[in-house]
C-alpha cells in the first residue's frame, strides 16, 4: 500500500507546473527540490532562502558538485521568509517543513511578492489546518492535494491557486477537497494519523482556536467518509 505513495520530495515536485519561470524555496534545507527542478526543467530558475547563513555553504559542498551545468539557475539567499525575494521576481512559491503559523507570517509579510505568482505549494510540518484559512485571507484556495508517505508518516502536499468567483466552498475544504473529489483511499490513513496527533486537543475542543476547533469537530465525519473510499479499494 505505502509503496504506491510518493515520498515528500516527489509529492512536492509533482505539484510544480513545468512552465514556472522562477520558484523560491523558502527554508530549502539541503536543497534537494531545487536540485531536481533545475535538472528536469531547463528554463526554470530557483531561489533558495534560508535564515541560517551556513545553509548555503552546506549546499555548495554537498549538492552543487552534482550540478555542473545548472548552478547558475540556483540563487541562494540568506534572510527571513519572502524578504530576500523581490516583488515580481517569482511566479510560484514553495514552503515545506515549516509550521503553519510561520507560513502565515511569511505570506502576510510578503503580500506584494504574491501578486505575480500563479501557484503556491506547501507541506506543513504537521497537519494542514490553519493554512487553508491563511490562504483564504489572501484570496487563494487549495486546488490539489497529494498524500505522501515517508519514514512511517503521512504528509499532505498542497498546491494553491488564486480564488475566483466560481469557487464553491463546502465542508471538505478544511481537510482535502481534491482528495474527496477523487475518492482517494489514502486520505483515510492520513486523517487517522491526524486524529492521533490531535488526541489531546480533541479532549479539549472547546478551548481550541476557531480554526482548530472546527477542524476537530468535523474530523470524525471526514474520517468516516474517507474510510469508505479505502473500503471500496479493498483496504483496511
Amino acid at each position: 500500500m505505502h509503496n504506491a505513495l510518493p515520498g515528500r520530495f516527489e509529492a512536492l515536485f509533482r505539484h510544480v507546473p513545468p512552465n514556472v519561470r522562477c520558484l523560491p524555496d523558502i527554508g530549502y534545507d539541503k536543497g534537494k527540490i531545487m536540485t531536481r527542478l533545475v535538472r528536469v526543467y531547463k528554463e526554470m530558475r530557483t531561489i533558495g532562502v534560508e535564515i541560517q547563513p551556513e545553509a548555503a555553504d552546506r549546499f555548495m559542498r554537498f549538492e552543487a558538485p552534482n550540478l555542473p551545468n545548472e548552478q547558475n539557475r540556483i540563487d541562494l539567499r540568506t534572510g527571513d521568509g519572502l524578504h530576500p525575494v523581490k516583488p515580481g521576481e517569482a511566479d510560484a512559491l514553495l514552503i515545506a517543513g515549516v509550521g503553519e503559523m510561520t507560513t502565515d507570517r511569511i505570506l502576510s509579510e510578503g503580500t506584494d511578492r504574491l501578486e505575480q505568482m500563479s501557484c503556491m505549494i506547501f507541506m506543513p510540518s504537521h497537519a494542514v489546518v490553519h493554512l487553508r484559512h491563511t490562504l483564504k485571507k489572501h484570496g487563494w484556495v487549495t486546488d490539489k492535494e497529494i498524500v505522501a508517505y515517508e519514514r512511517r508518516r503521512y504528509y499532505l502536499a498542497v498546491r494553491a491557486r488564486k480564488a475566483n468567483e466560481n469557487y464553491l466552498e463546502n465542508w471538505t475544504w478544511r481537510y482535502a477537497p481534491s482528495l474527496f473529489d477523487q475518492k482517494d483511499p489514502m486520505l483515510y490513513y492520513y486523517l487517522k494519523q491526524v486524529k492521533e496527533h490531535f488526541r489531546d486537543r480533541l479532549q479539549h475542543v472547546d478551548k481550541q482556536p476557531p480554526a482548530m476547533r472546527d477542524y476537530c469537530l468535523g474530523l470524525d465525519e471526514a474520517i468516516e467518509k474517507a474510510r469508505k473510499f479505502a473500503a471500496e479499494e479493498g483496504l483496511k
Side-chain angles (χ1 to χ4, degrees):
M1 176 179 66
H2 298 142
N3 293 336
L5 292 177
R8 289 180 297 163
F9 295 138
E10 175 64 24
L12 292 168
F13 178 81
R14 291 182 187 180
H15 272 326
V16 180
N19 62 343
V20 164
R21 173 179 53 84
C22 179
L23 180 143
D25 182 354
I26 309 301
Y28 62 86
D29 191 27
K30 297 178 181 179
K32 292 188 178 297
I33 291 289
M34 295 190 299
T35 297
R36 183 170 179 190
L37 287 172
V38 297
R39 276 178 173 166
V40 174
Y41 301 123
K42 303 304 181 183
E43 302 297 323
M44 190 179 296
R45 287 183 54 240
T46 60
I47 301 172
V49 178
E50 270 286 359
I51 200 166
Q52 301 297 334
E54 58 268 23
D57 293 334
R58 184 172 62 240
F59 179 88
M60 296 306 295
R61 286 200 313 271
F62 296 108
E63 289 294 325
N66 302 318
L67 299 168
N69 302 314
E70 296 89 1
Q71 287 187 38
N72 64 328
R73 289 188 286 118
I74 295 181
D75 187 356
L76 303 180
R77 302 178 187 178
T78 300
D80 186 13
L82 282 165
H83 291 293
V85 180
K86 299 174 185 177
E89 186 175 20
D91 57 343
L93 175 64
L94 171 63
I95 304 179
V98 175
E100 290 189 298
M101 296 299 100
T102 301
T103 297
D104 184 289
R105 177 182 62 78
I106 289 171
L107 297 183
S108 295
E109 292 177 358
T111 52
D112 55 340
R113 275 78 166 172
L114 306 182
E115 293 176 3
Q116 302 302 316
M117 292 186 181
S118 59
C119 74
M120 297 193 288
I121 299 157
F122 306 91
M123 183 182 283
S125 47
H126 295 294
V128 177
V129 178
H130 300 282
L131 176 63
R132 298 184 198 279
H133 294 267
T134 295
L135 292 171
K136 185 177 181 180
K137 177 174 64 176
H138 293 289
W140 289 69
V141 63
T142 60
D143 74 338
K144 187 177 181 182
E145 292 100 358
I146 298 174
V147 177
Y149 185 80
E150 192 170 303
R151 296 179 182 178
R152 298 185 179 183
R153 276 192 61 192
Y154 294 96
Y155 299 85
L156 195 63
V158 176
R159 189 176 71 189
R161 61 169 172 80
K162 292 177 181 176
N164 57 47
E165 66 277 7
N166 296 321
Y167 174 69
L168 297 176
E169 184 179 287
N170 60 39
W171 72 273
T172 66
W173 82 276
R174 291 191 177 89
Y175 305 99
S178 72
L179 297 183
F180 275 105
D181 290 343
Q182 298 166 21
K183 298 184 177 182
D184 190 324
M186 294 300 106
L187 177 60
Y188 172 58
Y189 303 98
Y190 166 74
L191 290 176
K192 282 208 308 178
Q193 176 184 277
V194 170
K195 183 174 181 178
E196 177 61 24
H197 179 71
F198 287 161
R199 181 172 48 186
D200 292 339
R201 292 180 181 271
L202 288 165
Q203 294 176 2
H204 307 283
V205 173
D206 57 322
K207 297 180 180 179
Q208 303 304 316
M212 178 63 72
R213 181 194 63 223
D214 293 343
Y215 187 96
C216 290
L217 287 173
L219 185 55
D220 281 339
E221 181 181 359
I223 290 174
E224 177 57 24
K225 192 174 183 68
R227 184 193 65 77
K228 294 177 181 178
F229 303 156
E232 290 173 1
E233 297 293 328
L235 303 174
K236 297 181 180 180

